Amino acid sequence: MLNLDTKLIIVEGRTDKEKIEKVIDDQVEIVCTNGTIGLERLENLIEAYHMDHRDVYILVDEDNAGKKLRKQLSRELPHAVHIYVDKAFREVAATPEPELAAALISSHIMINPNYLL
């Protein structure tokens, strides 16, 4: 059963999801878009995961595709909180765990304390 109190993080791919799952210690659902998506698929995801009624976080790569996806998600989910990885790492999956943990904790997502700097 879907818990609307569970936070939801939108990422681009499976490796991003796996990296985040490794560092979090919170009730979080992670949804992969598998890159830039069409409006119809996005609307289906919003409806299926009840994103209009949940705390939604956007954590995508800092490359052109990620920026395009972030912009698209921002239009459809204006209430979403944006989490950014350092531009030096460019990709969520390439971001070191302590850096990723710091970005997540700054958005009030609990992380495994083993990943604190």
Side-chain angles (χ1 to χ4, degrees):
M1 187 168 122
L2 182 68
N3 181 351
L4 296 180
D5 293 329
T6 302
K7 298 170 185 169
L8 187 138
I9 301 175
I10 301 173
V11 299
E12 288 179 81
R14 183 181 47 81
T15 55
D16 299 335
K17 179 179 179 176
E18 291 169 354
K19 184 83 166 217
I20 293 167
E21 288 175 333
K22 187 175 178 182
V23 301
I24 60 172
D25 188 20
D26 205 342
Q27 286 292 104
V28 175
E29 188 168 6
I30 302 172
V31 175
C32 299
T33 65
N34 298 311
T36 306
I37 58 178
L39 184 58
E40 184 177 340
R41 180 156 180 263
L42 178 55
E43 288 175 356
N44 289 339
L45 284 175
I46 290 169
E47 186 177 317
Y49 290 97
H50 302 278
M51 292 183 194
D52 287 330
H53 308 287
R54 298 174 74 178
D55 291 335
V56 177
Y57 300 83
I58 299 170
L59 178 54
V60 296
D61 296 342
E62 285 299 314
D63 58 9
N64 287 337
K67 290 175 183 176
K68 181 178 178 183
L69 178 59
R70 185 181 298 278
K71 187 176 179 180
Q72 181 182 20
L73 292 168
S74 293
R75 281 193 304 269
E76 299 299 320
L77 298 164
H79 70 285
V81 174
H82 294 267
I83 303 173
Y84 296 89
V85 295
D86 191 309
K87 287 181 175 70
F89 305 116
R90 286 184 47 103
E91 298 178 358
V92 173
T95 303
E97 285 90 357
E99 295 284 337
L100 185 57
L104 290 164
I105 205 165
S106 70
S107 292
H108 309 289
I109 295 172
M110 292 188 296
I111 54 105
N112 181 326
N114 293 330
Y115 293 103
L116 291 174
L117 293 174

